[in-house]
Amino acid sequence: MDRIIVSNSSQSSHNTYLLNTNKVLRNTYLLLALTLTCSALTATASTILKLPAPNFLVMLFGFYGLMFLTHYLANRPAGIIAVFALTGFMGYTLGPILSSFIADGAGNLIMLALSGTAAVFFCCSFYVLTTRKDMSFLGGMMIAGFVVILVAIIANIFLKIPALSLVISSLFVLFSTGAILLETSNIIHGGEINYIRATVSLYASLYNIFISLLSILGLNRDN
C-alpha cells in the first residue's frame, strides 16, 4: 500500500512538472510571436518614416536599460510592458539598417536574412523539442564564445578589417544558435520557469542572427 501511495505521488509530481513546463513553453512562444510582430511594426514604421539611426550611446543605454528593466520586472505584470518596450525599441533600431538595404536595391537580402533566421530558429527548436536533449553542456562553450567575440569586436574597432567583420558576424550566428538550443533546453527541463526572461533570451538571439546574416550578405554583396 505504501508503495502504491509513493508511486501515485511521484506520478502526480511528474504530471505537475510537465504541465508547468508546457505552460512556460507555450507562454514563451506566444509572447515571442507577439514581440516579433511588435518589432516588425516598429521597424516598418521606422523605415517608412526614415527615422534617423540612434547613436551608439542611445543604442547602448536603450538596449541594456530596457533589458535590465525587463529582468527586474520579470515576475510582475509590468514585465509584459517592459518586454514590448524593449522589442519595440529594437525594432526601431532596425529601421535605418533596412532603409539602407532598400535604398541600395538589396531588399532581397532582407528577405533572405529573415528566411535564414526563421530556419535556424525552427530547426533548433524542433531538434530540442523532439529529442528533449539536455543542452546544458553548451554553457561553458557559450562563455568561451562570448569572450572570443568580445575580443574580436574590440580588435576590429582599431583594425577595421572587413574579413574580421565577416568572422565576427559568423561567430554571432553560431553563438546565438547555441543560445537558442540552450534556452529551449532550459525551458523543457525546468531550468527556466519565467516565460518573460525566456522570451527576451530567444528574442535577443533571433535579433543577433538576423543582423549578423544581413551583415554577412551585405559584405558579400559589396565584395
Side-chain angles (χ1 to χ4, degrees):
M1 180 66 69
D2 291 340
R3 290 181 180 179
I4 294 176
I5 293 175
V6 171
S7 177
N8 289 337
S9 176
S10 299
Q11 185 64 35
S12 177
S13 299
H14 180 67
N15 290 338
T16 301
Y17 166 77
L18 289 178
L19 287 173
N20 290 336
T21 299
N22 291 335
K23 182 179 179 180
V24 173
L25 187 65
R26 183 175 63 252
N27 289 341
T28 298
Y29 282 161
L30 175 59
L31 184 57
L32 181 63
L34 293 174
T35 53
L36 289 174
T37 301
C38 175
S39 278
L41 292 175
T42 53
T44 301
S46 179
T47 302
I48 294 174
L49 298 175
K50 300 185 184 302
L51 298 178
N55 61 42
F56 178 74
L57 288 179
V58 172
M59 179 73 178
L60 189 66
F61 285 105
F63 174 73
Y64 285 104
L66 289 171
M67 178 73 79
F68 173 80
L69 180 64
T70 302
H71 279 270
Y72 178 74
L73 299 173
N75 294 310
R76 308 177 191 177
I80 300 292
I81 299 175
V83 170
F84 282 103
L86 171 63
T87 55
F89 174 77
M90 298 310 293
Y92 152 65
T93 64
L94 281 175
I97 299 173
L98 301 181
S99 295
S100 66
F101 273 81
I102 294 173
D104 291 339
N108 60 313
L109 297 184
I110 296 175
M111 296 307 300
L112 189 58
L114 188 61
S115 300
T117 303
V120 170
F121 176 72
F122 285 120
C123 288
C124 290
S125 300
F126 179 79
Y127 174 76
V128 176
L129 293 176
T130 53
T131 64
R132 303 192 72 83
K133 186 174 182 180
D134 186 358
M135 308 298 291
S136 59
F137 66 90
L138 290 175
M141 289 186 284
M142 296 290 291
I143 295 175
F146 176 78
V147 173
V148 171
I149 292 173
L150 184 62
V151 171
I153 290 174
I154 294 174
N156 205 39
I157 291 175
F158 301 99
L159 300 176
K160 300 185 185 301
I161 303 174
L164 185 55
S165 297
L166 186 62
V167 170
I168 292 172
S169 295
S170 301
L171 289 175
F172 258 115
V173 172
L174 293 175
F175 179 84
S176 299
T177 299
I180 293 174
L181 291 169
L182 182 59
E183 188 62 37
T184 307
S185 174
N186 284 339
I187 294 172
I188 65 174
H189 289 100
E192 179 57 85
I193 59 175
N194 187 288
Y195 69 92
I196 292 179
R197 287 195 299 264
T199 298
V200 170
S201 176
L202 291 175
Y203 175 89
S205 297
L206 291 173
Y207 182 92
N208 285 333
I209 291 174
F210 179 66
I211 288 295
S212 298
L213 289 178
L214 272 181
S215 178
I216 292 170
L217 294 170
L219 284 172
N220 288 334
R221 180 175 181 270
D222 292 339
N223 290 336

